[in-house]
Amino acid sequence: MFFEIRIFSIQGFLLTKWRSWILLNDSWSSKWWYSTVHIVTVTVGAGVLSLPTVMAYFGWALGTMLLVGFLILSLMCYWQLIEMHETEHGRRFDRYHELGQHILGRHLGFWLIAPLQAIAQVGIDTVYIIAGANSLEHVYSLFDKCKELDVHKCKGINLTYWMILFMGVQLLLSQLPHFQSITWVSFIAAVTAIGYCTLAWVGILIKQPALSSGSAASAPTQCFQNVGHGYPHGSKAHLAFGIFTSLGKLAFAVAAGHNIALEIQATIPSTSRHPSKRAMWRGILVAYLVVAFCYLPVALVGYKVYGDETRDLCSGLDNVLLRLRNPKPMIVLADLMVFIHLCGSYQVLAMPLFSNFETLVERMFKFEANLKHRMIMRSCYVVLTLMLAAAFPFFGDLEAFFGGFALIPTTYVIPSVLWHLSRKPEPFSPPWIANLLCISFGIAVMATSTIGGLRNLIMKRRELEFFQ
């Protein structure tokens, strides 16, 4: 009897302790650099590797201006979210939809933000599965002697199997309970992100790129010959949709972190003397210095070497690393860094979704979820993203669609609207004008990039069977 009571008390303690880890609470003591690590991890995603393709549609001047402009607007919207995280009376909004409910009302605030936030996180994680699988497939292709002899007779390993390998890693990491528990994962991911971005543009400079096999084998052989840097030409419809898609890719590359900014700030302690917004803003500024260091060289060096060939003949090669085969050790290391980084980034984006979903399930079904329930729910999420990735294995087009449909509104439109309604800037003042311009720009890019990405997904989906 005593033994049974002892066992039950231990189980109850473990479950209570585990629940306290899951929930956001004031006892957490994250440092300012925690936010730097998390923001670098989720922002410097696989989208950076498609920036040379984006540059090819806009040219040197406009492309650089758009990239820098997106970064500045993203930084402004981060500042708005950080400032609105805590009221003058000390109330903190630890989740994005809680801030929306405070300003827009209980129902409108929740249903406007929570679904878009969930779609954005699921969409990014889906794209990361595809990008991680592409990296592993590229490593395999570098050592596949069969393809060097006769590329047409070699089938290789289906991309879906590489996705399943990525899923296996996520099934393990998804059992980590909360943001603080994945800080070490996020730190490793941030370091590898800086690493593969550096290796990518250095590899392009020191070695003339050549087509790889595998995913890139179907691209025309005349790619990267007679490279030019002119403005797009061709049918108006083709160019219009290409520009729309490129805007979505650019948004995807720079706009991932806003969906979890408040959840990250919630882990930083806040007092009247040392409010959390100071530490969070410091972390964001350092993070964006790192982001600029990663993005600008990849975009500019990649466009310099590949030029407008990435726009026309080689449009199927959105990932800049897939165009490289030598020096082999460097390319293998870069691809493995991409895989490691995406494993960490997947978890940082999924963690708030886990917390929100588990809280929702508990409230709907009125029961206290234990460790077993959470293992099942989180594993189902990982399997869901795998199925979406296997059904739509189009890295660049999914980037454009989710970048426009979910990331643009949650990054540029909603923060500016919430700021406008809560702070009520004076009409025609600089903050008022900047805010309205950001909202208008966000709505325009959201509409165009969603159309471009959806159109390409429909066209490419017709060429494949589901889960082939």
Side-chain angles (χ1 to χ4, degrees):
M1 184 68 178
F2 174 78
F3 180 74
E4 291 179 355
I5 294 175
R6 188 74 174 174
I7 292 295
F8 284 128
S9 64
I10 293 174
Q11 289 177 339
F13 171 78
L14 290 176
L15 290 177
T16 303
K17 190 69 175 175
W18 202 84
R19 285 185 59 78
S20 69
W21 287 345
I22 281 292
L23 302 176
L24 299 172
N25 58 74
D26 294 333
S27 65
W28 287 8
S29 56
S30 296
K31 309 299 182 183
W32 69 267
W33 59 268
Y34 284 34
S35 61
T36 298
V37 169
H38 291 317
I39 294 300
V40 169
T41 296
V42 297
T43 303
V44 186
V48 64
L49 300 175
S50 64
L51 288 180
T53 306
V54 174
M55 292 287 295
Y57 272 95
F58 299 108
W60 284 113
L62 184 57
T64 305
M65 289 174 58
L66 280 173
L67 177 56
V68 174
F70 267 84
L71 290 173
I72 293 174
L73 285 179
S74 297
L75 201 57
M76 184 190 83
C77 292
Y78 266 125
W79 179 79
Q80 291 176 331
L81 288 172
I82 292 169
E83 289 288 324
M84 292 186 290
H85 170 75
E86 190 170 1
T87 66
E88 295 179 355
H89 305 291
R91 181 183 176 185
R92 303 181 69 178
F93 304 104
D94 295 336
R95 294 180 174 88
Y96 201 167
H97 65 81
E98 291 179 0
L99 176 62
Q101 289 175 305
H102 173 70
I103 297 175
L104 301 175
R106 179 180 178 185
H107 297 290
L108 178 60
F110 179 84
W111 291 109
L112 176 65
I113 295 176
L116 283 174
Q117 185 183 21
I119 292 171
Q121 290 165 304
V122 172
I124 297 171
D125 281 344
T126 300
V127 174
Y128 283 176
I129 290 178
I130 299 170
N134 282 333
S135 296
L136 293 179
E137 184 186 46
H138 189 222
V139 172
Y140 174 79
S141 71
L142 294 176
F143 298 94
D144 189 0
K145 300 297 183 182
C146 178
K147 287 188 177 293
E148 295 180 2
L149 297 175
D150 192 346
V151 68
H152 299 291
K153 293 183 179 181
C154 293
K155 294 184 178 179
I157 299 177
N158 194 293
L159 184 64
T160 304
Y161 293 109
W162 298 114
M163 294 182 185
I164 293 174
L165 180 58
F166 187 95
M167 181 194 72
V169 177
Q170 298 309 320
L171 287 174
L172 295 176
L173 293 178
S174 63
Q175 306 312 318
L176 295 172
H178 54 70
F179 257 127
Q180 282 195 319
S181 67
I182 63 171
T183 300
W184 64 274
V185 177
S186 186
F187 179 79
I188 295 173
V191 172
T192 54
I194 299 171
Y196 73 71
C197 287
T198 304
L199 291 177
W201 64 264
V202 170
I204 294 170
L205 284 178
I206 67 175
K207 195 72 175 180
Q208 181 65 25
L211 281 176
S212 69
S213 54
S215 299
S218 59
T221 56
Q222 61 266 43
C223 291
F224 319 125
Q225 298 177 7
N226 302 319
V227 172
H229 299 87
Y231 282 95
H233 57 274
S235 69
K236 293 182 178 180
H238 175 75
L239 295 178
F241 283 115
I243 291 172
F244 293 168
T245 303
S246 296
L247 287 172
K249 292 178 181 179
L250 190 54
F252 186 94
V254 302
H258 297 71
N259 284 278
I260 61 172
L262 296 182
E263 284 82 352
I264 294 173
Q265 190 173 350
T267 67
I268 300 176
S270 182
T271 64
S272 57
R273 293 186 59 185
H274 302 285
S276 62
K277 63 183 182 181
R278 293 181 185 175
M280 185 69 179
W281 181 239
R282 182 182 180 187
I284 293 290
L285 289 177
V286 176
Y288 262 66
L289 289 176
V290 176
V291 169
F293 171 79
C294 293
Y295 277 33
L296 292 174
V298 173
L300 300 179
V301 173
Y303 180 52
K304 173 65 177 178
V305 173
Y306 297 132
D308 50 19
E309 298 294 337
T310 62
R311 181 181 65 237
D312 300 318
L313 301 177
C314 308
S315 58
L317 301 178
D318 295 284
N319 187 330
V320 70
L321 282 177
L322 300 185
R323 301 187 176 98
L324 299 174
R325 292 189 65 83
N326 291 298
K328 188 176 293 186
M330 178 185 290
I331 304 308
V332 170
L333 178 60
D335 278 319
L336 293 179
M337 283 184 169
V338 171
F339 179 81
I340 295 171
H341 167 248
L342 295 179
C343 286
S345 187
Y346 183 105
Q347 286 303 313
V348 174
L349 285 162
M351 194 58 67
L353 197 60
F354 291 156
S355 178
N356 290 338
F357 182 70
E358 289 159 7
T359 302
L360 179 64
V361 169
E362 286 187 347
R363 291 177 179 175
M364 288 180 60
F365 298 100
K366 301 185 185 305
F367 76 97
E368 187 174 294
N370 56 31
L371 184 58
K372 179 178 67 176
H373 295 135
R374 290 190 169 90
M375 288 180 66
I376 294 173
M377 287 188 284
R378 295 184 179 200
S379 298
C380 288
Y381 171 81
V382 175
V383 173
L384 170 65
T385 54
L386 170 70
M387 295 178 65
L388 290 173
F392 298 93
F394 312 118
F395 170 69
D397 300 313
L398 280 179
E399 268 191 299
F401 176 74
F402 284 116
F405 182 72
L407 286 177
I408 287 291
T410 55
T411 299
Y412 301 113
V413 180
I414 293 177
S416 297
V417 169
L418 296 179
W419 173 265
H420 203 82
L421 293 176
S422 64
R423 301 306 168 92
K424 297 180 174 57
E426 184 180 349
F428 303 104
S429 63
W432 187 88
I433 295 174
N435 222 34
L436 288 188
L437 287 176
C438 186
I439 295 171
S440 303
F441 175 77
I443 292 174
V445 175
M446 177 181 65
T448 55
S449 57
T450 301
I451 292 171
L454 183 60
R455 177 252 190 186
N456 288 351
L457 284 175
I458 294 173
M459 292 183 65
K460 290 185 178 180
R461 183 65 262 176
R462 295 173 180 173
E463 302 173 4
L464 297 176
E465 297 179 3
F466 276 97
F467 307 108
Q468 68 169 7

